[in-house]
Amino acid sequence: MFDPVLLEVMRHRWRSIAEEACAAMVRTAYSPNIKDRRDCSAAVALPSGEIVAQAEVGTPLHLGILPAVIRAVLAEYPLETLEPGDAVITNLPYPEGPGHLPDVSMVSPVYVDGRPIAVAATTAHHIDLGGYAPGSMPLGVEEIYQEGLQIPPTPVFRLGQVDEVILRLIEQNARTRHEVRGDLLAQYAAGRTAERRVAELCAISSTELALEYAQHVLDHAERVMRDGIGRLADGVYSFDDFLDDDGFSDEPVRIAVDLTIAGEELLADFSRSSPQVRGPLNCRASAAASCLYYAAKAVIDPDLPTSAGAYRALKVKVLEGSVLQARFPAAVGNANILTDQRVVDALFGAFYQVAPERVCAACSGEMNLVNLGGIDPRTGEYFNYVETLAGGQGALHDADGGDAVHTHLTNTLNTPIEVIEQAYPLEVTEYALLPDTEGAGRFRGGCALVREIRSHADRLTVSIGADRRRFTPWGLENEHHAAGAMCYVIRLDGTRELLPTKVVTTLVRGERLRIETPGGGGWGDPHQRDRELLAAEVAEGLISPQRAASVYGLDQ
């Protein structure tokens, strides 16, 4: 038996440790991608590798993959072989690990009274780790060797001292070596912060009590998830969605799920999905599992504490050699950005059939990746600006979707214009909401955004990872999709060149890159939309008078 009040206190204590560790990483990071956008995550786990608590600041995709990362590291470096102050890093997606090479995970032992009682784990998206193009997420590549430096589980700190040989080897393979060093040190600081706070928790409550209630936290999360699943109608719920292409051919990539609810357990079977593809959209089963963890938590109990206990009732099936369980050395760099978002769309489409009031229509469906890199003429050093741009959120049965927000697996912030222009030889010439990009409905989807950037570098390498141009974000209980992704280069003579959604290209000084993200799908009949609200949106410029009349039936 356990004390329910103490359980709640201990749950919040464990979570606060993960939150503070993540905050330490953000505060001490070098790159704007972490310190401003917060493209990082932190968790605290038991020696078994089961995660007790995760920082809500982080991205859901990172958090769902971290259990696989911890398993992979501990398989090579058992916890009892690590000493206080040690830290092991890895970025290998194969066989289990982070989703792509820029995501470097660090795992550290947490010692209390001379014995390891827990594990601190972080993942941070580093802005470059070598490879074909700045940012290490190129399109048009076929194998992981083209994507950047691969780091197997490797001790980079021993007894609190950094291994300079290993760190210099990593720096030599990264274009932005100073940021890579600083961000790795920030991850280490996060792990040491977690260790100190766990020791303080054990000093207050005793080590045995802290560990006992960590197990209660896991068991409680399992009970809540199983109870929530049990309240859904048993059955098999299927949904198919598609990525436009893989960057090499025009062949759509199918993401299909058969969601089976049986009693208090849930199985997501992705066996009908496409075989692995030539382009870098492949992923591994741990990513599909992460998508399921996120979707199930969102649908069944959004307030459920994030811990491994909640995952015990959830199962994933993928086929070896499929796009969701690719064989080495298939390229994987943009799966986090594109494929995994589509997995979530498919899961929500299936959940709609059993719990329609708990899901939203399709969101923008991709993270709208932009990597801009080259030589900064002010310093002569390499730079790389990376950002995932927000899009429209899908509408709900009783509410509009948010305009220009990060959705589903991405929980990052935008990079402020001032930071971009100070840190890089770039100029933001436009940053705004895009009118008429929403999915129409009684409740409309969110509007997309546009970000236009002028290069002040002599030669700028651009990597774009986008989608939803062909298969635009779908609505629910209507046939009105949202606008899709558009990407342009505006040349020096003012001509506008439409780019593919998955491309590596170059700009010269003075040319501009224009990215228009997808909107969010709508819900219900647009003719039933509140007239006063619609008129206000027309006055604000979010919806044009022509669209209001032709799609929503607004009298002029």
Side-chain angles (χ1 to χ4, degrees), residues 32-39 386-388 406 412-413 415:
N33 193 50
I34 297 174
K35 67 183 180 182
D36 291 296
R37 296 192 63 245
R38 302 185 182 183
D39 194 350
V386 57
E387 182 147 23
T388 52
H406 288 277
T412 53
L413 303 177
T415 307

Side-chain angles (χ1 to χ4, degrees), residues 59-109:
T59 67
L61 182 61
H62 285 177
L63 297 175
I65 291 177
L66 269 175
V69 173
I70 295 171
R71 287 195 300 268
V73 170
L74 295 184
E76 293 204 30
Y77 294 93
L79 191 58
E80 60 272 15
T81 68
L82 298 174
E83 299 184 80
D86 289 357
V88 179
I89 60 172
T90 184
N91 71 341
L92 290 188
Y94 297 99
E96 288 188 305
H100 56 189
L101 298 182
D103 283 347
V104 178
S105 295
M106 184 177 292
V107 175
S108 308

Side-chain angles (χ1 to χ4, degrees), residues 285-355:
S286 57
S290 181
C291 296
L292 177 61
Y293 300 159
Y294 160 76
K297 182 177 183 293
V299 170
I300 293 169
D301 190 341
D303 295 325
L304 180 66
T306 304
S307 73
Y311 310 153
R312 292 171 180 169
L314 308 177
K315 308 297 180 186
V316 168
K317 180 180 179 182
V318 293
L319 293 184
E320 188 71 25
S322 72
V323 69
L324 300 183
Q325 181 69 337
R327 294 188 177 97
F328 181 85
V332 299
N334 281 264
N336 279 15
I337 304 301
L338 303 176
T339 309
D340 298 338
Q341 289 283 74
R342 193 65 75 258
V343 172
V344 172
D345 287 339
L347 285 166
F348 270 60
F351 273 120
Y352 166 74
Q353 300 164 45
V354 65

Side-chain angles (χ1 to χ4, degrees), residues 51 96 105 108 115 130 135 172 200 218 234 289-290 332 337 443 465 483 488 524 529:
I51 289 178
E96 288 188 305
S105 295
S108 308
R115 64 185 177 108
Q172 186 61 40
E200 292 170 2
L218 297 175
D234 285 1
S290 181
V332 299
I337 304 301
F443 296 100
Y488 304 91
R529 183 158 183 79

Side-chain angles (χ1 to χ4, degrees), residues 240-245 252-255 274 342 467-468 471:
D240 293 16
D241 209 335
F242 297 88
L243 292 156
D244 294 345
D245 56 77
V253 181
R254 181 189 299 271
I255 304 295
S274 290
R342 193 65 75 258
D467 201 72
R468 284 295 194 200
F471 297 96

